[in-house]
Amino acid sequence: MNRYLLLAAGLLLPASALLAQRRPTPPPVPKLLVGIMVDQMRPDYITRFRDQFGPDGFNRLLREGFECRNTQYNYIPTVTGPGHSSVYTGTTPRYHGIVGNSWYDRRLRRDVYCTDDSTVQLVGGQGKGMGVSARNQLSTTLGDELKMVTGGRARVLALSLKDRASALPAGHMADGAYWFDVASGNFISSTYYVPALPAWVQAFNAQKRPDYYRQQTWGPLRGPEAYRNSLPDSNRYERPFKGKAAATFPYDLAKLAPLSGPGYETVYASTYGDNLLTDFVLAALAGTDLGRDDVPDLLAVSYSSPDAVGHAFGPQSKEENDLYLRLDLEIARLLQALDKTVGKGRYTVFLTADHGASEVTRYLADHQAPTGAFSTDALAKGAAAYLNEQLGPDQWIETVRGNMVYLNRPLLARRKVELARAQQLVADFVRDLPGIAQVNTTTQLLNASYTTYLEAKLQAGFYYPRFGDVRFELLPGWTGDIGPGASHGTGYAYDSHVPLLWFGAGIVPGVSFAPHTITDIAPTAAMLLNSKLPSACTGQPIVEVLSPAGGPQQPGAP
C-alpha cells in the first residue's frame, strides 16, 4: 500500500512543480505612485454626492479603479498628524511615535508639535518660527524605503497646505516637502529637506495665485438639485466666517479676508485652498521629472481645506457638499495632468483620508440622537481635589492635554506614592464621570494585551514616552460642547471609517467589502512598487487590490 502511495506522489510531483511555475506576468511597476489624502473625508461623501460628480474625477477612480469600502483607522486618536504617519509608515502611533498633532513633553514641560524641529530652519517664509521635519517620526516611510531600494534614484515629493500633512508623508529622505504659509501666501519648506526653494517653487510663488483666490466669491457651483442630500443653507449648525453674520452663501473673500487674519486664512478655509493645491501639484509635475524615467517615484498630495470647511460648517452643510463637487473637479484636473505628463497606465493612485468626522453635536441634540458635552477643565479640577483627599494636599496633576491626564511624577517620587496607585485613583475618579466610555492607565496599557474595540485602539495609539498617565475616551457623539461645526479624534466609526480607492497601473476594477485597516496601504503600495516595507510596518498587503482573483470583489460600478 505504501509503495502505491509513494508511486502516486512521485507521479504528481512534476505536475505540481509545473503548476508552481505558472505565474501570471506581473503588472508593470508604476513610474509614479501618487498618494492623495483628503483631510476629514468620510466615505458617505462619495455615495451622497456621486450622482452630482462629473465623469473624470471621483467617478473615474470608481469606474476604472478598485474600492475598499470597509477601511478603518485601527488606533486612537484619529487626527491629522497620526493619520498621515500611519498611512505612509504602515503602522500605528505605538511604533511610529506620532501620538497626536501635538503632545505634552514631560522633560520640556510644554507642548511639542508633531513636526517641531529646532535643529532646522524654515525656507521661503516671512517668519522665523520653529523648523519643520519628520524627525519625531520613529519609523521609515514608504518613500524612505523606495529611496533605499533604488540607491537614492527615486524621487519623493510631498505637497500640502498643512506642514504636518507634508513633512510626515515625505519622511526622512525625501527630495522635498512643501506646505502653504498662510502669512506670506507662499509655499515653503525647511532646511531638513532643501537649502533653498527650487526654481519651480519660486516661479510658482511669483505667480501670486493665493492673491487671485483671495479675491473670489464662493457661491454654489450647481443648482438646488445638487444639494438635496444636505441641509438648507441657513441653519444653526454652522460657524460663520469672521465678518459675516450667518454661514450662508455667497462668501465674498475680498471683503472677509481682512477680517480673518493678516494673511490668507480665507483661502485655506474655503474651497479655493483645494484649487491652490492642485495648481501647485501641476507646477510640480511640470517643473520636475517625476514619473519620467524607469525608476518609480512617489508624490504625496494632501488636500487640507476640507478639514477647515468641515470644522466650520459640518458634514451636512451645503458648503461641505459644494466643496466636494468642486474637489471632484480638482481630482479630474490632477488625473488629466498625470495622463499628460506621466502617461495613462504608467502611474498608480491611492486616495484616502486622515480621519473622518462626527456629526454636529447641536444637530444630534436637536434630533434626540446620543450626544453630550464634556468639560476637561471640570475633570482636571475634580481629579485634583480627589487626589488631595486620597493623598493629601499638593499639586498631584501636572497637566491635562486632550484626553490624557499627566501626573506630577517627581512629586509622587518625593512623596513615595506608587505611580500605579496614583494612576488608578485618577482612573477610578474619571470612570464615574458622565460621558465616559473607557478609561485606561498607562500601567494597564503597558502590561495588558487588549482585543476589545476601544481598548485595542487605545493600545495601538500608545507610545509611552509621549503618553500621559491616564487616557479616557468619551461615549459616542460626545465632545467638548454641544455647538456648531464638526469634530474628530475618537475611535468610533464616524471618525475611523474612511474611503480607500486604488486606480491606475496594476489595478483591476473592482470593489471589496472585506475589513482593512489604514496601515494596510503602505505594504500594498510597496508590493506594487517592488519596494521594501517601512521599518515598523504592521499592516498587511490588500490581496484583493494586488490579485483581484484572490479576494472578494465585484466589477466596478459604471
Side-chain angles (χ1 to χ4, degrees):
M1 185 68 175
N2 290 341
R3 190 169 50 188
Y4 291 118
L5 288 174
L6 289 171
L7 176 62
L11 291 173
L12 287 173
L13 276 174
S16 62
L18 286 172
L19 286 173
Q21 294 174 18
R22 291 176 185 170
R23 300 179 59 187
T25 302
V29 175
K31 304 302 181 186
L32 178 65
L33 176 72
V34 183
I36 302 174
M37 295 189 70
V38 182
D39 204 322
Q40 202 186 119
M41 184 179 184
R42 303 192 320 197
D44 63 291
Y45 296 159
I46 292 178
T47 53
R48 280 169 57 194
F49 309 142
R50 184 175 182 183
D51 63 346
Q52 296 299 320
F53 291 152
D56 301 322
F58 286 112
N59 275 322
R60 183 181 175 190
L61 297 178
L62 292 164
R63 184 177 61 250
E64 301 177 25
F66 195 97
E67 182 182 14
C68 298
R69 293 284 300 271
N70 189 14
T71 305
Q72 301 270 346
Y73 273 87
N74 52 344
Y75 62 83
I76 300 171
T78 45
V79 293
T80 297
H84 284 77
S85 284
S86 296
V87 166
Y88 285 91
T89 64
T91 192
T92 64
R94 182 182 182 112
Y95 300 106
H96 64 60
I98 305 299
V99 298
N101 289 336
S102 61
W103 53 82
Y104 183 74
D105 188 299
R106 294 182 184 277
R107 180 179 58 84
L108 300 175
R109 298 181 64 86
R110 63 171 175 82
D111 288 347
V112 171
Y113 181 60
C114 60
T115 58
D116 277 354
D117 188 345
S118 61
T119 69
V120 298
Q121 293 79 45
L122 298 178
V123 174
Q126 292 179 348
K128 295 183 179 179
M130 176 70 77
V132 170
S133 81
R135 200 180 301 277
N136 290 327
Q137 190 166 253
L138 306 178
S139 167
T140 61
T141 61
L142 183 65
D144 292 337
E145 298 295 342
L146 187 60
K147 295 286 284 188
M148 286 189 277
V149 299
T150 61
R153 293 179 297 154
R155 288 183 60 84
V156 176
L157 195 64
L159 313 173
S160 181
L161 298 189
K162 290 182 178 179
D163 55 4
R164 59 185 180 272
S166 177
L168 297 173
H172 306 84
M173 304 179 190
D175 298 278
Y178 303 96
W179 54 90
F180 185 57
D181 176 23
V182 294
S184 67
N186 288 332
F187 279 90
I188 66 173
S189 188
S190 83
T191 53
Y192 186 88
Y193 300 102
V194 290
L197 295 181
W200 69 268
V201 178
Q202 294 183 46
F204 181 84
N205 286 337
Q207 295 176 21
K208 301 296 183 185
R209 295 295 290 169
D211 287 337
Y212 167 76
Y213 289 122
R214 194 167 55 170
Q215 298 301 312
Q216 301 304 302
T217 296
W218 179 18
L221 180 68
R222 306 270 178 80
E225 73 284 349
Y227 304 92
R228 62 181 180 271
N229 289 333
S230 299
L231 294 175
D233 194 22
S234 180
N235 63 68
R236 63 191 298 263
Y237 309 121
E238 304 168 304
R239 187 178 296 109
F241 275 100
K242 292 179 181 179
K244 192 170 170 61
T248 55
F249 285 122
Y251 297 92
D252 186 342
L253 300 193
K255 293 181 179 179
L256 296 173
L259 305 173
S260 300
Y264 296 82
E265 291 284 354
T266 51
V267 175
Y268 171 84
S270 72
T271 187
Y272 295 109
D274 293 339
N275 297 80
L276 176 63
L277 183 65
T278 306
D279 292 345
F280 189 52
V281 175
L282 268 56
L285 291 172
T288 69
D289 60 354
L290 285 168
R292 310 295 211 283
D293 56 25
D294 293 333
V295 179
D297 299 324
L298 171 62
L299 173 62
V301 177
S302 181
Y303 286 96
S304 303
S305 290
D307 185 64
V309 172
H311 279 299
F313 301 103
Q316 298 197 55
S317 66
K318 192 173 182 179
E319 288 83 355
E320 187 88 326
N321 189 334
D322 191 72
L323 177 138
Y324 277 93
L325 298 184
R326 292 173 180 271
L327 180 60
D328 178 57
L329 301 178
E330 297 307 299
I331 298 297
R333 192 156 67 105
L334 176 54
L335 294 178
Q336 289 163 4
L338 289 166
D339 289 343
K340 182 178 179 180
T341 58
V342 182
K344 288 185 179 181
R346 293 169 59 85
Y347 65 90
T348 303
V349 171
F350 71 79
L351 184 147
T352 189
D354 56 350
H355 52 75
S358 67
E359 296 296 339
V360 175
T361 50
R362 183 179 290 173
Y363 174 87
L364 293 176
D366 285 352
H367 292 79
Q368 302 180 0
T371 190
F374 184 85
S375 171
T376 301
D377 289 341
L379 177 151
K381 293 176 182 177
Y386 182 71
L387 289 179
N388 284 342
E389 292 175 5
Q390 300 297 315
L391 303 176
D394 221 320
Q395 297 295 319
W396 299 107
I397 294 178
E398 189 165 318
T399 189
V400 178
R401 290 289 189 274
N403 285 23
M404 288 190 282
V405 179
Y406 293 77
L407 293 169
N408 188 337
R409 292 185 179 181
L411 174 63
L412 292 173
R414 289 197 304 272
R415 297 283 297 270
K416 294 182 171 51
V417 177
E418 185 182 5
L419 178 61
R421 181 193 172 207
Q423 291 175 346
Q424 193 59 54
L425 287 172
V426 173
D428 292 342
F429 172 82
V430 173
R431 192 172 289 111
D432 289 335
L433 296 176
I436 294 293
Q438 184 68 42
V439 184
N440 290 89
T441 69
T442 296
T443 300
Q444 291 171 335
L445 293 173
L446 275 173
N447 297 323
S449 180
Y450 295 111
T451 58
T452 53
Y453 185 62
L454 288 182
E455 286 180 318
K457 287 190 173 187
L458 282 170
Q459 197 163 52
F462 171 70
Y463 174 61
Y464 182 79
R466 297 172 182 172
F467 230 65
D469 290 288
V470 177
R471 178 66 164 83
F472 60 91
E473 187 78 352
L474 302 179
L475 291 170
W478 279 64
T479 187
D481 66 278
I482 298 179
S487 185
H488 56 85
T490 75
Y492 298 113
Y494 49 83
D495 285 340
S496 66
H497 188 198
V498 293
L500 177 56
L501 309 177
W502 298 86
F503 166 87
I507 307 300
V508 176
V511 61
S512 170
F513 301 95
H516 296 291
T517 66
I518 206 71
T519 52
D520 294 339
I521 293 176
T524 304
M527 299 298 167
L528 286 168
L529 295 169
N530 287 338
S531 184
K532 289 169 56 187
L533 299 179
S535 58
C537 183
T538 55
Q540 296 297 318
I542 302 174
V543 174
E544 303 96 305
V545 171
L546 297 170
S547 179
Q553 58 168 313
Q554 66 186 40

